[in-house]
Amino acid sequence: MAIDGLIILDNAGRAIAQSGFHSFPPGYPLLHIDALNNALANTSRPEDVDPVLYVSGLDTPSACCHVRRGDLRYLCPVSGDVDPLYAFAFLQTFVDILREYFGHVSAETLRENFDVVYQLFEETLDSGGHPLTTSPNALRDIVLPPTLLHKVLSAAGVSGLATSSANSHPFASPIPWRKAGVRYNNNEIFFDVVETLDAVVNKNGTPAVSSVWGRVDCNCKLSGTPDLALTFSNASTLTDCSFHPCIRLQRWARDKVLSFVPPDGKFKLMEYRYTPVSASSMNQVSVPFILRPMVKVDEHGGTIDVTLSSRLTTRTMENVVVELYLGQGATGASCMVSHGASWSFNPKTSMLIWELKAVVTSANYSLRGTFTSSAETPRASRAFRVRFDIPQHNFSALKIEQLKLTGEAYKPYKGMRGNSQGNIEWRW
């Protein structure tokens, strides 16, 4: 399985950069760019475009796999017997590499650092279309990250001074994901556990389906080559796990212990699905709020009355956003909200948006109003979309039970914090 190449487009559909399509005609990447732009032009909602587009025009049919991240679109043309998930996995890996190098990725950032982008093209994808070096630690030894010093030296024509370290060279370490000779004054490692609750709630308030997906992000600042053994307090509730290549899978399968030599810096340690032991056979997780919606559709409009309250006893929900699609032809809305919240109506998407900065316990938040539509019988969505954040909270109550370090003489400082998010569809 091989990937034909990689193309990055700006928000106007123009190509910013692309890898070398050595085995294809010059017009091959243009066919895929035009296929995506035509599909976007023929729909009113960009999210409705199929992520895999059939592309004709050559002797061999091909497909255009594409994703949107921020204001940019990343295209991966494939032909032959290639699994699209293979292309999407590479696209996400390349986006993560760009974020590692540039932080905020935008069209301006890529144009200002086009030399680094094209070097990353060459190092992450070989001439045959196979992913090559995708570990950020290994890439940093080959492609220097852009800094002000590097730019000044390049502009002045000075070479040989901007090396990553005096005694290091690419692939000096026997471990692909970790640099050789790493040293820190303070040896510490931090774990961020981020969990997302996806659920569909019936109009009677009971979850039809709910699942919690989590990930453990790590920021490692440890000297030398530490060998870690990490134990969680309730690891048996974690299922469908995927790991960083540094994890020893046999140890996890046998003892539910994460044994690994960590990369240096930030990386994603693992992803998982939380399966509560005390839940029903469908493994349902309760939704942390109650929504009482009343929507009445009349001729050329309707009325809305929504009340929201928290089920949490000690935590505060933050950045709560409640959305309702008012249907094609919606022209406006007039609402009143409580507790200093805000609301808005987007005429382009026909979406009514209710925003609450914080939802505390034992308080009821309400939105009441009316909406108008050019359609005689408006077809509003039959469900509200609710998104929220809960800082310092995890649905799984995941905690570090023990962290052992071998191979080095120091004792590291460890820290862990949790954060939960939610994306709920509440039907009325």
Side-chain angles (χ1 to χ4, degrees):
M1 274 194 306
I3 296 170
D4 297 343
L6 180 62
I7 309 170
I8 306 177
L9 305 182
D10 60 14
N11 56 3
R14 297 186 296 264
I16 302 175
Q18 68 180 44
S19 61
F21 292 81
H22 304 291
S23 304
F24 299 91
Y28 182 75
L30 296 177
L31 287 175
H32 292 80
I33 296 175
D34 290 342
L36 176 60
N37 289 334
N38 291 336
L40 292 173
N42 293 331
T43 182
S44 58
R45 291 161 54 93
E47 56 270 19
D48 292 340
V49 176
D50 195 326
V52 181
L53 300 174
Y54 174 77
V55 179
S56 59
L58 295 174
D59 296 336
T60 303
S62 60
C64 175
C65 303
H66 64 94
V67 296
R68 179 174 180 175
R69 296 293 182 269
D71 293 333
L72 304 180
R73 287 190 179 272
Y74 301 82
L75 280 64
C76 194
V78 293
S79 57
D81 187 13
V82 179
D83 190 342
L85 292 179
Y86 182 69
F88 286 121
F90 175 75
L91 285 175
Q92 185 57 51
T93 300
F94 192 80
V95 172
D96 293 339
I97 291 172
L98 292 181
R99 290 172 178 166
E100 184 78 17
Y101 267 73
F102 306 121
H104 175 68
V105 182
S106 63
E108 292 75 15
T109 304
L110 299 184
R111 290 190 178 101
E112 290 174 359
N113 302 279
F114 70 92
D115 53 337
V116 177
V117 175
Y118 276 93
Q119 289 181 69
L120 292 176
F121 279 150
E122 295 298 323
E123 298 298 337
T124 56
L125 200 65
D126 64 13
S127 58
H130 300 91
L132 196 59
T133 305
T134 57
S135 174
N137 279 321
L139 281 172
R140 285 178 178 274
D141 289 336
I142 308 170
V143 182
L144 296 179
T147 63
L148 181 60
L149 175 61
H150 294 159
K151 292 180 180 179
V152 171
L153 292 176
S154 300
V158 179
S159 62
L161 298 179
T163 56
S164 57
S165 63
N167 57 355
S168 67
H169 58 276
F171 309 111
S173 172
I175 304 175
W177 54 81
R178 186 168 182 85
K179 296 179 181 179
V182 178
R183 287 291 179 266
Y184 288 99
N185 293 329
N186 298 320
N187 293 285
E188 51 192 16
I189 184 168
F190 301 98
F191 300 94
D192 284 326
V193 180
V194 182
E195 295 182 344
T196 302
L197 171 63
D198 291 323
V200 177
V201 182
N202 292 325
K203 57 183 178 180
N204 58 3
T206 58
V209 61
S210 66
S211 58
V212 173
W213 299 93
R215 73 176 189 271
V216 180
D217 295 328
C218 185
N219 187 4
C220 178
K221 299 180 180 179
L222 301 178
S223 304
T225 309
D227 198 323
L228 303 178
L230 177 64
T231 305
F232 291 116
S233 58
N234 51 348
S236 60
T237 61
L238 308 183
T239 58
D240 299 335
C241 299
S242 63
F243 301 99
H244 189 276
C246 68
I247 298 294
R248 300 180 178 99
L249 298 179
Q250 290 183 352
R251 182 73 184 278
W252 171 262
R254 185 179 70 248
D255 305 325
K256 295 298 181 182
V257 173
L258 293 178
S259 176
F260 60 102
V261 176
D264 182 52
K266 298 180 179 180
F267 65 98
K268 185 189 298 180
L269 182 64
M270 66 177 295
E271 292 180 307
Y272 60 88
R273 181 171 65 89
Y274 167 58
T275 305
V277 177
S278 59
S280 64
S281 59
M282 296 182 65
N283 297 322
Q284 302 291 352
V285 179
S286 61
V287 177
F289 65 89
I290 300 174
L291 195 71
R292 301 181 181 87
M294 291 182 60
V295 180
K296 182 180 180 181
V297 177
D298 301 321
E299 187 175 350
H300 294 289
T303 59
I304 302 172
D305 188 343
V306 186
T307 303
L308 184 144
S309 58
S310 175
R311 282 177 172 159
L312 301 175
T313 57
T314 58
R315 301 291 182 182
T316 299
M317 298 171 57
E318 298 181 357
N319 304 320
V320 180
V321 179
V322 182
E323 296 179 340
L324 177 65
Y325 177 62
L326 299 181
Q328 187 175 3
T331 56
S334 177
C335 300
M336 294 180 61
V337 294
S338 64
H339 295 79
S342 62
W343 71 274
S344 61
F345 172 74
N346 189 333
K348 293 183 179 180
T349 59
S350 301
M351 194 75 70
L352 178 65
I353 304 172
W354 179 24
E355 296 178 306
L356 304 98
K357 293 183 178 180
V359 174
V360 300
T361 60
S362 66
N364 293 326
Y365 300 79
S366 62
L367 177 143
R368 296 181 177 87
T370 60
F371 69 94
T372 58
S373 176
S374 59
E376 183 176 354
T377 304
R379 298 180 61 86
S381 173
R382 298 294 300 181
F384 288 82
R385 176 71 60 180
V386 185
R387 298 190 301 272
F388 61 87
D389 296 329
I390 308 177
Q392 304 298 323
H393 173 78
N394 285 128
F395 295 105
S396 64
L398 194 67
K399 294 181 180 179
I400 294 178
E401 187 174 275
Q402 190 179 45
L403 178 66
K404 290 184 178 180
L405 184 146
T406 57
E408 298 293 337
Y410 56 82
K411 183 178 180 180
Y413 170 81
K414 65 178 183 296
M416 179 179 178
R417 63 181 178 184
N419 184 44
S420 294
Q421 304 168 349
N423 187 9
I424 312 298
E425 178 183 306
W426 195 294
R427 297 171 178 172
W428 57 272

